[in-house]
Amino acid sequence: MAGSQVVLVTGASSGIGRATADLLQARGHRVIGTSRRASPGAAPWTWARLDVTDDASVTACVAGVLASEGRIDVVVNNAGLVMAGAVEDTAIEEARRSLETNVLGAMRLARAVLPGMRERGSGTIVNMGSLAGRVGMPFQGIYSASKFALEGLTEALAQEVAGFGINVALVAPGDTATSVVDNRVRAVASQDPASPYAAACARIVAMYEADERAGAPATGVATLVADLVEGRRRGPRYAVGPVGQRVMVAARGMVPGGVFRWGMSRYFGLRR
Ligand SMILES: NC(=O)c1ccc[n+]([C@@H]2O[C@H](COP(=O)([O-])OP(=O)(O)OC[C@H]3O[C@@H](n4cnc5c(N)ncnc54)[C@H](OP(=O)(O)O)[C@@H]3O)[C@@H](O)[C@H]2O)c1
């Protein structure tokens, strides 16, 4: 779709969301960026308050944008929460929070904007996946589960709404230098030295953090999202970020499962 579009970017207070909102605004779109906080700081676009885990908050946010702008052409479901910890150590409530944000949050937004998009016969939804949604990452199993789920949701939804002129795509970044290191949530039990996983979890999460600090700039992801918003790309799913990580994910489909798992265990120094 050509011309200026009304774009709602969730989780725009930092990292990938902020870079995406800034780039879309610079390209002449009308951007509404969201945060759970009332005053997240200065931005060249409009803030809206939103907690994607809260039905009422999603309804109010979408109603507010429709009232002020008249329509929502694009939603970038970027808001996300990275959860670390051994699966066995993760309490169901801890896992629920992650899945609520990363999967049901995106679904809530989609359900709220799709009626208007169907009525107008056009629209774009971009869901922020992760390379961790293509390979299960040890001690980030709940995060991987949420991003695998988002891949499935996106693929199914895309087929359901294509006939209404709506494009749904998933962008899967590898390590990206953002505030993710500070915002990572940790399963309480995996931080207890009594946990049989505590040492391996701490060591491997430290590896993740080092990779994230040295990750690709968020502007690369933002450029890909902007290309999807502006119709220069129409594909259903993209990987973006460090080449080595994209090759690793691609290799998963080319080598026998046992070989891939052996390589992963070796890389992370895990017992087999
Ligand atoms: N950085 C990476 O290496 C990487 C790699 C692959 C995928 N990703 C994905 O990229 C997305 C953005 O991550 P980031 O790296 O930019 O992280 P970030 O800097 O920590 O940003 C996360 C954003 O999500 C928002 N958020 C969190 N919980 C929310 C909720 N319940 N409702 C509404 N907003 C919420 C935060 O906003 P407030 O706190 O202001 O509400 C913040 O703006 C996530 O979906 C993440 O999984 C990141």
Side-chain angles (χ1 to χ4, degrees), residues 10-17 34-37 40 50-53 77-82 101-102 128-131 143 147 172-180 183 212:
T10 71
S13 60
S14 64
I16 293 170
T34 79
S35 168
R36 287 167 294 182
R37 284 166 284 161
L50 173 68
D51 181 342
V52 300
T53 67
N77 273 317
N78 165 77
L81 183 151
V82 180
T101 307
N102 298 354
M128 198 57 66
S130 170
L131 293 187
Y143 179 65
K147 295 297 186 178
D175 285 322
T176 312
T178 67
S179 308
V180 65
N183 294 336
E212 287 156 2

Side-chain angles (χ1 to χ4, degrees), residues 126-245:
V126 181
N127 290 335
M128 198 57 66
S130 170
L131 293 187
R134 305 212 175 146
V135 172
M137 303 305 289
F139 304 107
Q140 283 204 157
I142 306 306
Y143 179 65
S144 275
S146 73
K147 295 297 186 178
F148 269 78
L150 191 60
E151 290 252 354
L153 186 84
T154 306
E155 193 168 308
L157 177 64
Q159 297 170 72
E160 292 170 5
V161 300
F164 296 103
I166 300 163
N167 188 36
V168 184
L170 182 132
V171 169
D175 285 322
T176 312
T178 67
S179 308
V180 65
V181 176
D182 308 315
N183 294 336
R184 178 177 270 102
V185 175
R186 290 158 198 268
V188 171
S190 277
Q191 297 172 75
D192 182 340
S195 162
Y197 302 104
C201 180
R203 181 175 57 74
I204 290 173
V205 172
M207 290 170 75
Y208 294 151
E209 289 182 344
D211 286 345
E212 287 156 2
R213 283 199 184 89
T219 46
V221 187
T223 302
L224 176 54
V225 174
D227 285 351
L228 280 160
V229 168
E230 293 170 348
R232 268 188 299 285
R233 293 183 191 240
R234 298 281 302 177
R237 60 205 281 271
Y238 294 90
V240 57
V243 177
Q245 295 178 3

